[in-house]
Each structure stands twice: as C-alpha cells, then as structure tokens.
Amino acid sequence: MPLPKAELHLHIEGTLEPELAFALAARNSVLLPYKDAEELRRAYLFEDLQSFLHLYYGLMAVLNTEDDFTDLADAYLARAAGQGVRHAEIFFDPQAHTARGVALGTVIEGLARALDRSEERHGVSTRLIMCFLRDQSAQSAMETLEAAKPYLGRIAAVGLDSAEVGNPPSKFREVYEAAAALGLRRVAHAGEEGPPAYIREALDILGVERIDHGLRCMEEPELVERLVRERIPLTLCPLSNVRLRAVDTLEEHPLRRMMDAGLLCTVNSDDPAYFGGYVGDTFHAVHEALGLDDERLRELARNSFLASFLEDDEERRARLIAEVEAYDFERPE
Ligand code: HPA
Ligand code: ZN
C-alpha cells in the first residue's frame, strides 16, 4: 500500500492522457492535429507556462459531453487511488469549456457523476475548485461565478489559474469578494512565474487560504517568515516546475529548502498527463532527486491532509493523518 496522501493541486483537464484524448476525439468526431497518441506525447516539450497552456487548451476540443467529463475524472481518480491518494481537491477551468460552447452544467454534472461515486469506487474523497482564467477579464470571471450559482452545493472553493505574469491577483478583487460572500473558500496560483508581490496580493487582496505553487516566495525572506508564521499551505508541483522551466532540474528544486525554512509544503502533480507523473510518482521523484528521507515524505503526506478542506469531515482527516503516522516505509505492502 502506498503512503496515504491528499492531492490539492490538480487540474482535471491536465489529466487528459493522449490515449483518452484520441478515444474521445473518435467518439466526438473531432480531428486532432496529431497522427496518434505517440506523436501527441512527443509534442510535450514546453518552453514555459504559455507554451504548455496553448497545447492544454487546444486538446480540450475533445471534451464535449457529460460522459467525457465523467470518463476523464474517473480515469484520474482510479489512477490517483493506485498511488495512495485518499482525498483530492480538483480544479476545473469552466471558461475554457463555455468559450467552446460547452455548457457549464455539462462540465459540472459530468465531473460530479465521477466524484459522487469516488469514495465508494476508489476510496478517494473529493472537493471541486472552480478556477477563473486570469488572462480573461474580471468581468468574465464574475459572469462565470454568476453562472455557477445553481451548482454552489458542488463547489468548495474558487481558484485562479492560467497565464500569471501581467495578470495580478488584484485584478480579481471583486470576484473573490463575491465568492467569499457566497460561502466559497479561496485559493489562487501565485508565484509560479509571477513575482513574490503576487503572493502577497493573493493573501491580502483575495483573502486566499492556500497558495498554489508559491515557489517564488523564496526571493523574499520576510514573505517566507510571514507564510511560516501564518501557516499558509503551499501546493508545490515540482515536476511541473521542471517541465515548465521554472527550475532547471529537479535536483535544484527549492522544496527541501522550503521545508527547512518551516513552510507548510505539499507536493502535487498539477497536470500529470503533461508533466511526467502522478502524485505518487512525484513523491518518488523528490525522494530520489532531493534525498528526502521517509520522515520528510511523511511530513509532506501529513501536510497534505492538514492543508485540505476537510473541515466538514474532521473525523476523516484525523483517520487519514493517523494512517500517515502509522505508515511503515519498510513494509509498504
Ligand atoms: N499554472 C497556471 N495555470 C494552469 C496550470 C499551471 O501550472 N495548469 C493548468 N492551468
Ligand atoms: Zn496549477
């Protein structure tokens, strides 16, 4: 049995494996500009976040029906469960679908079908986090929040993703205020490619509880001190950072230094179909590349549950943390 863990930074559209993309393309009569799954996979050589986003949004053309979203989420949950994931807080990008004429209800109902049976089928509890595309207007984000009102029972939190630089958190002040007023929790991507100031804005202007990525906090010691003092969780994605060239190699990733500084770090897969691994693979990779020992891996797993939105199920959180504490790395079976 793998180390139990929660995954808190996972874009469901980023779990679209090339083989499933081709199967859905055939089902929906969508023509992809690649010969086959191998050729598509060979295109996954990214320069930066923007070059990845181009391919990521393009491939979404195959996601059209409720069944497509159900199949996508089911495939992720099965795979994640196999790597020890027991709780997943899943991002989705509604604007990337509504812009193509896919109704918000299709997306949410399709995902919800897989999520509703996930605990029973895969042993994975779930939450949904609706992300706004920060390179779209604040008004478009507000319209998306408005359109989501019939589905608020299914959405735990709002998030902010897509092209970061030039799109500061402050652009979304009003929509985050409106989301908070609706009882939604708040997270945001900040400090992936953008400067440390964006992390401060996400905290001070958007009122987020967690920072997604937050890598660049390391450039400002006072900011690190604040994140430590306020116990703000960071959802780091080391394999993503290497593939999108935020760091040159995994060996140079600051995760270990961040943990040493006392930051509440979690590791996650971000877009596992594109970045070379799911979250269990990520744990394995940081163990190898950064020499994180068993107790450091246990800390990351414990943090993942501490940082999760399981407040409405503290019993489950306590049970999962107890499993982490009791986990025997010598006898993983
Ligand atoms: N960063 C920003 N937006 C995203 C990402 C990411 O890593 N993945 C999917 N959308
Ligand atoms: Zn992300």
Side-chain angles (χ1 to χ4, degrees), residues 11 49 52-53 56 161-162 189 192 213 270-271:
H11 302 264
L49 176 58
F52 156 69
L53 290 171
Y56 168 81
D161 64 2
S162 202
H189 283 52
E192 178 187 18
H213 292 298
D270 208 5
D271 300 282

Side-chain angles (χ1 to χ4, degrees), residues 25-267:
R27 189 156 95 185
N28 293 321
S29 308
V30 172
L31 193 62
L32 288 174
Y34 305 91
K35 189 162 57 64
D36 53 26
E38 269 88 82
E39 189 182 304
L40 172 55
R41 197 166 259 123
R42 279 199 296 275
Y44 292 178
L45 292 169
F46 309 114
E47 302 285 314
D48 53 18
L49 176 58
Q50 192 59 57
S51 68
F52 156 69
L53 290 171
H54 182 71
L55 208 151
Y56 168 81
Y57 294 128
L59 211 56
M60 287 184 202
V62 304
L63 296 167
N64 288 289
T65 67
E66 267 186 46
D67 281 348
D68 299 341
F69 288 94
T70 305
D71 291 350
L72 178 70
D74 244 338
Y76 162 69
L77 290 162
R79 209 153 171 174
Q83 299 203 354
V85 172
R86 306 291 296 280
H87 177 74
E89 303 193 350
I90 298 174
F91 295 134
F92 70 110
D93 286 332
Q95 290 153 293
H97 308 299
T98 54
R100 303 181 290 112
V102 178
L104 183 60
T106 302
V107 181
I108 295 181
E109 299 289 358
L111 294 175
R113 208 180 321 143
L115 269 49
D116 283 350
R117 62 195 185 202
S118 166
E119 219 171 320
E120 187 187 348
R121 226 182 237 202
H122 308 291
V124 183
S125 51
T126 59
R127 301 284 183 275
L128 259 186
I129 303 179
M130 181 171 81
C131 283
F132 304 115
L133 300 184
R134 68 200 306 155
D135 45 358
Q136 306 282 314
S137 68
Q139 189 191 336
S140 171
M142 195 64 103
E143 286 164 8
T144 303
L145 183 64
E146 188 63 36
K149 280 186 177 165
Y151 308 103
L152 288 184
R154 300 222 170 255
I155 299 171
V158 293
L160 191 61
D161 64 2
S162 202
E164 185 182 6
V165 175
N167 296 295
S170 51
K171 178 175 163 186
F172 297 92
R173 177 199 297 266
E174 286 83 10
V175 71
Y176 269 65
E177 280 170 4
L182 290 169
L184 293 166
R185 307 185 73 158
R186 290 159 286 169
V187 300
H189 283 52
E192 178 187 18
E193 287 190 345
Y198 284 18
I199 300 175
R200 282 188 268 111
E201 280 192 17
L203 294 168
D204 296 330
I205 298 179
L206 303 186
V208 303
E209 294 177 63
R210 290 198 303 244
I211 297 285
D212 296 315
H213 292 298
L215 199 65
R216 289 190 60 190
C217 74
M218 295 303 274
E219 294 168 25
E220 273 191 14
E222 301 91 75
L223 179 57
V224 171
E225 275 172 38
R226 175 183 177 186
L227 294 167
V228 171
R229 192 171 57 245
E230 297 181 15
R231 306 242 330 132
I232 306 290
L234 305 179
T235 64
L236 298 166
C237 306
L239 297 182
S240 165
N241 297 148
V242 175
R243 292 297 181 105
L244 301 187
R245 314 257 191 109
V247 300
D248 288 334
T249 65
L250 197 54
E251 286 73 14
E252 289 162 83
H253 195 280
L255 171 64
R256 177 191 270 279
R257 281 187 284 124
M258 296 176 90
M259 294 178 80
D260 288 343
L263 288 163
L264 207 166
C265 297
T266 67
V267 299

Side-chain angles (χ1 to χ4, degrees), residues 3-5 253-267 283 286-288 290-304 324-325 329:
L3 178 64
K5 53 185 79 71
H253 195 280
L255 171 64
R256 177 191 270 279
R257 281 187 284 124
M258 296 176 90
M259 294 178 80
D260 288 343
L263 288 163
L264 207 166
C265 297
T266 67
V267 299
F283 269 69
V286 297
H287 166 71
E288 295 278 312
L290 299 173
L292 294 184
D293 65 15
D294 293 349
E295 291 316 308
R296 281 308 178 86
L297 299 182
R298 195 190 307 280
E299 177 183 338
L300 289 170
R302 184 190 304 119
N303 286 349
S304 72
V324 171
E325 303 304 354
F329 285 89

